[in-house]
Amino acid sequence: MKHVVLVGFMASGKSTIARALARRLGVRSIDTDAEIEREHGPIAGIFAHEGEARFRAYERAAVSAALRQASPSVIAVGGGAFVQSATREMLRRDAVTVFLDVGEATLRRRLARSRTHRPMLRQTDGSDAFDALYRAREPLYREADLTIACDGMTQRETVDAICAGLDRVRALR
Ligand code: S3P
């Protein structure tokens, strides 16, 4: 079995679904943002003191380390990982990638309620950072092997849909 990697926008549920899917499949789950924070400290601090480029380098390294694990895992990556071409190529080559497709309105609602600090959504000029990011990233997320439209689905339904999708993808290989 290849690693399964969940990609998608911030607040699409990647980390939560990764844990539930890993439990269902009986494998480990890895969260690359958590790995980055363990090694380099809080993400907000990395963005503030070292800049986005350095964060992306840490992210590339964390994704590469997760993919090198011998036993198959479910891996949740940050919302920008699949947007970076080098990281995306690595993921597409070495894993089955799954886009958690959650509608804009739901994402906005969750982000408004979320207490997680997300530097990519901070905009000093008053423009809508979410909108620009969403439009730029959505077509790239669609390059994943599987797209799961999970808006309005429960966690269990989402995991069911991913498992059915994985069976389909594997049958085609
Ligand atoms: C980012 C998403 C975040 C985190 C960092 C950058 C992005 O992860 O990796 O703040 O560029 O979309 P989540 O998708 O888990 O919020």
Side-chain angles (χ1 to χ4, degrees):
M1 180 185 147
K2 270 186 165 180
H3 297 294
V4 176
V5 178
L6 304 188
V7 307
F9 210 78
M10 292 169 255
S12 56
K14 301 176 297 284
S15 306
T16 311
I17 298 296
R19 283 193 296 272
L21 178 63
R23 267 197 307 278
R24 174 84 67 93
L25 298 174
V27 301
R28 213 178 132 211
S29 74
I30 301 176
D31 185 316
T32 54
D33 276 345
E35 297 297 317
I36 294 168
E37 293 204 317
R38 222 167 37 160
E39 207 168 324
H40 304 285
I43 288 175
I46 302 173
F47 270 81
H49 305 299
E50 302 178 62
E52 184 184 349
R54 184 63 73 88
F55 172 77
R56 297 300 172 199
Y58 294 156
E59 180 173 65
R60 219 161 36 241
V63 168
S64 167
L67 291 173
R68 281 198 308 272
Q69 299 287 316
S71 52
S73 337
V74 178
I75 304 168
V77 298
F82 205 60
V83 174
Q84 308 295 313
S85 53
T87 307
R88 185 171 63 255
E89 288 319 310
M90 194 156 66
L91 288 167
R92 286 185 45 87
R93 193 184 57 228
D94 296 334
V96 180
T97 50
V98 181
F99 167 35
L100 295 187
D101 185 10
V102 175
E104 230 181 299
T106 305
L107 291 173
R108 280 184 188 273
R109 205 170 45 242
R110 287 186 193 166
L111 286 166
R113 279 201 308 248
S114 166
R115 292 223 221 107
T116 306
H117 183 81
R118 290 182 163 94
M120 293 300 290
L121 293 176
R122 280 187 59 192
Q123 199 83 293
T124 44
D125 64 0
S127 62
D128 188 348
F130 176 94
D131 195 59
L133 279 177
Y134 189 84
R135 257 151 254 308
R137 291 176 168 191
E138 204 241 12
L140 293 167
Y141 293 143
R142 294 204 179 275
E143 291 183 20
D145 297 307
L146 271 176
T147 292
I148 305 294
C150 44
D151 221 348
M153 280 190 189
T154 63
Q155 185 173 301
R156 166 177 261 176
E157 287 165 343
T158 304
V159 171
D160 287 345
I162 297 172
C163 289
L166 289 174
D167 287 342
R168 245 183 0 256
V169 169
R170 289 198 181 105
L172 292 174
R173 287 184 179 197

